[in-house]
Amino acid sequence: MDKSPDAFRTISEAAEELDLPQHVLRFWETRFSTIKPLKRGGGRRYYRPDDVLLLRGIRHLLYDQGFTIKGVQRIIKDQGSRYVIAVGEGKSIEDILPMIESAEAAGDEAEIEDAVMLSSPHLDQDSRDKLSAVLRELLECKRILERAREA
């Protein structure tokens, strides 16, 4: 009998659902302060549904997208847990675009590169560089249009 999607998961159930060893989940708890399972007597962990979704997003970013732990920590810090959950659920570029725009506004090249990698994980480095340049040009065009509308 499967549990309801709203039910809490033990560490073994969460690990099985995410196809990860339990020790990885315990390690991630030390690296990502947003992962806070409920702990009962004897230290038994119970993951809330949002915890499992966040873990799925972290897994996706680390294993499928190639981010480092520091990169994922930065994404969580800058964009929040909801963003990582959305990425783990396979949201489209329209959902990722705000991250690209905020990185561009801040002038942070590393964040722009991370956003491009997130939106296009299977591209080689040369293609990613070209896509980053196109994104910057498009954002500049958008700023010019917005200024023209204001005038």
Side-chain angles (χ1 to χ4, degrees), residues 39-140:
K39 291 185 183 173
R40 291 289 184 192
R44 189 169 174 127
R45 293 166 166 81
Y46 289 94
Y47 292 90
R48 298 167 189 86
D50 278 352
D51 292 331
V52 176
L53 292 173
L54 178 60
L55 288 165
R56 182 174 286 117
I58 291 171
R59 182 189 190 289
H60 177 72
L61 291 171
L62 290 172
Y63 293 3
D64 300 333
Q65 302 294 327
F67 283 90
T68 62
I69 286 178
K70 283 191 179 234
V72 176
Q73 288 170 335
R74 186 175 63 214
I75 290 170
I76 291 171
K77 181 180 174 227
D78 294 344
Q79 303 298 321
S81 298
R82 288 281 160 216
Y83 178 81
V84 174
I85 290 171
V87 169
E89 294 174 335
K91 300 294 182 186
S92 67
I93 186 66
E94 289 80 22
D95 298 317
I96 296 170
L97 190 59
M99 177 184 170
I100 297 169
E101 290 176 332
S102 68
E104 177 68 19
D108 190 335
E109 289 295 315
E111 285 186 40
I112 293 168
E113 295 305 318
D114 283 350
V116 169
M117 184 170 178
L118 184 61
S119 65
S120 309
H122 304 296
L123 295 178
D124 59 41
Q125 187 60 46
D126 185 51
S127 297
R128 278 194 211 116
D129 292 342
K130 289 176 183 174
L131 182 57
S132 293
V134 169
L135 281 170
R136 283 187 202 90
E137 288 178 34
L138 288 171
L139 290 169
E140 182 59 28

